[in-house]
Amino acid sequence: MQTESRLKLALQPVVSFLDRSKTPYFIGGSVASSYHGASRSTLDVDLERQWNDLTTVAKLNAKLLDLEYLHSWSRTKGLTDLINRLLEATGRH
């Protein structure tokens, strides 16, 4: 099976979910480059959600955000920088 076919098969459940939920996305990184014929060894998937959507939701719910939980959770997932950027965008730290 060619790389393009295997990638389509592997990504189909994710893409179907994102399409059904009307979630804007794009696929980048080594998976995208491999799909287009420039194979890379990492084969990780970079799914980017629109940053504006995230900051808008966070701003609208800023008073409800549990900052202690967000910081704790982000440390366990390795997402500290991302959460900090999101909180800065909402005016909370």
Side-chain angles (χ1 to χ4, degrees):
M1 186 179 279
Q2 292 184 354
T3 300
E4 180 181 328
S5 298
R6 290 192 318 248
L7 288 172
K8 280 185 179 179
L9 184 63
L11 291 174
Q12 187 57 46
V14 175
V15 169
S16 292
F17 171 78
L18 293 170
D19 287 342
R20 281 193 317 274
S21 65
K22 297 181 179 9
T23 302
Y25 67 93
F26 69 86
I27 299 171
S30 62
V31 168
S33 65
S34 294
Y35 180 81
H36 291 288
S39 295
R40 291 179 15 202
S41 61
T42 57
L43 277 183
D44 59 333
V45 178
D46 299 329
L47 288 174
E48 296 289 334
R49 180 137 166 77
Q50 289 187 353
W51 185 250
N52 290 340
D53 289 350
L54 291 173
T55 56
T56 299
V57 169
K59 285 177 184 177
L60 290 173
N61 294 290
K63 292 181 181 179
L64 302 174
L65 294 176
D66 181 342
L67 297 180
E68 186 176 329
Y69 171 78
L70 282 174
H71 286 297
S72 173
W73 175 84
S74 67
R75 280 190 298 275
T76 66
K77 303 297 182 190
L79 298 171
T80 303
D81 291 340
L82 182 64
I83 291 297
N84 287 338
R85 283 179 48 212
L86 180 64
L87 293 174
E88 284 176 26
T90 65
R92 302 218 34 210
H93 302 281

